[in-house]
Amino acid sequence: MARKPGRKAFKGLAPKGYRIRMMEPGEAEVLLAIRHEAATRSPEPGNAAPAEPSTLPDFVRFLLAHEIFVAAAKRDGSPVGYAAAQERGDLYWLAGHRALTPHRRRGIASALIAAVTQRARWFDHRAVGIPTTVDIGSFGAFYARDGFMTVSRKQHPAILANQRVNDMLEEAGIDAQRVLIKWL
């Protein structure tokens, strides 16, 4: 019998002291607090888009429309970061990722992106996409290390050259003039 991905599906992706898992019931308020804390920091791609609502009822609707990957501390299981993604045809769209400030620069963002990418591969998506602003600054190198390339609206490959992607960029809630694409 083939082994199906389950609770340990993302084992080995997280940095030491953390694990990656899917969102569990009752975590909406904690994830909203992470979202609010991230909103107070300086902007960065995938971490600055105000696409996620700030009230709990609106945020719950956002969560229900996405698959939510959670970075949790191993010692107590508490969420310290998350990524929200959703299927868009053969593109898996990473709507955003967040991590609490004390847990940043420990590999959590890379682990969340790896989990999203792994999930996209399981379901035969052709690419993972992330909306971003024109100036991604030093974060460009971070995404490039993870295999993403920057594509302007004018250069969208055939898979992205349609109104659906323009709608996704507008939904991102930022001046998303570019998409970061990781081909799978």
Side-chain angles (χ1 to χ4, degrees):
M1 176 170 12
R3 190 177 148 221
K4 292 184 179 181
R7 190 144 173 88
K8 296 184 180 185
F10 304 115
K11 188 174 182 171
L13 293 181
K16 187 176 181 177
Y18 300 94
R19 67 184 176 102
I20 303 295
R21 60 173 171 75
M22 299 307 288
M23 180 183 165
E24 295 177 353
E27 291 185 324
E29 287 185 57
V30 174
L31 298 181
L32 181 59
I34 293 171
R35 189 259 182 272
H36 284 310
E37 193 268 352
T40 64
R41 293 196 308 260
S42 60
E44 62 183 79
N47 233 8
E52 297 158 43
S54 58
T55 66
L56 186 58
D58 289 340
F59 189 66
V60 167
R61 280 190 285 282
F62 171 83
L63 294 173
L64 291 172
H66 295 82
E67 292 178 306
I68 307 300
F69 301 78
V70 174
K74 273 190 179 178
R75 71 182 186 292
D76 63 2
S78 63
V80 299
Y82 71 93
Q86 65 184 171
E87 294 184 37
R88 297 289 180 111
D90 43 352
L91 175 70
Y92 198 50
W93 191 248
L94 179 57
H97 56 86
R98 314 281 187 266
L100 290 171
T101 300
H103 301 276
R104 292 182 68 210
R105 302 204 182 276
R106 296 183 184 187
I108 290 173
S110 291
L112 287 166
I113 291 170
V116 167
T117 302
Q118 183 172 318
R119 192 264 179 231
R121 282 189 179 111
W122 289 339
F123 293 94
D124 296 323
H125 292 285
R126 290 184 56 197
V128 174
I130 304 173
T132 187
T133 59
V134 173
D135 178 23
I136 59 174
S138 63
F139 298 106
F142 166 78
Y143 289 107
R145 280 192 307 270
D146 276 336
F148 286 88
M149 63 181 207
T150 304
V151 180
S152 71
R153 279 190 189 204
K154 293 177 185 175
Q155 299 171 321
H156 286 169
I159 188 175
L160 303 176
N162 59 42
Q163 186 58 43
R164 184 179 65 208
V165 169
N166 289 332
D167 292 344
M168 286 186 280
L169 291 172
E170 289 173 19
E171 288 172 18
I174 58 176
D175 186 21
Q177 296 299 313
R178 297 181 191 268
V179 176
L180 297 173
I181 294 293
K182 180 175 185 173
W183 295 104
L184 306 176

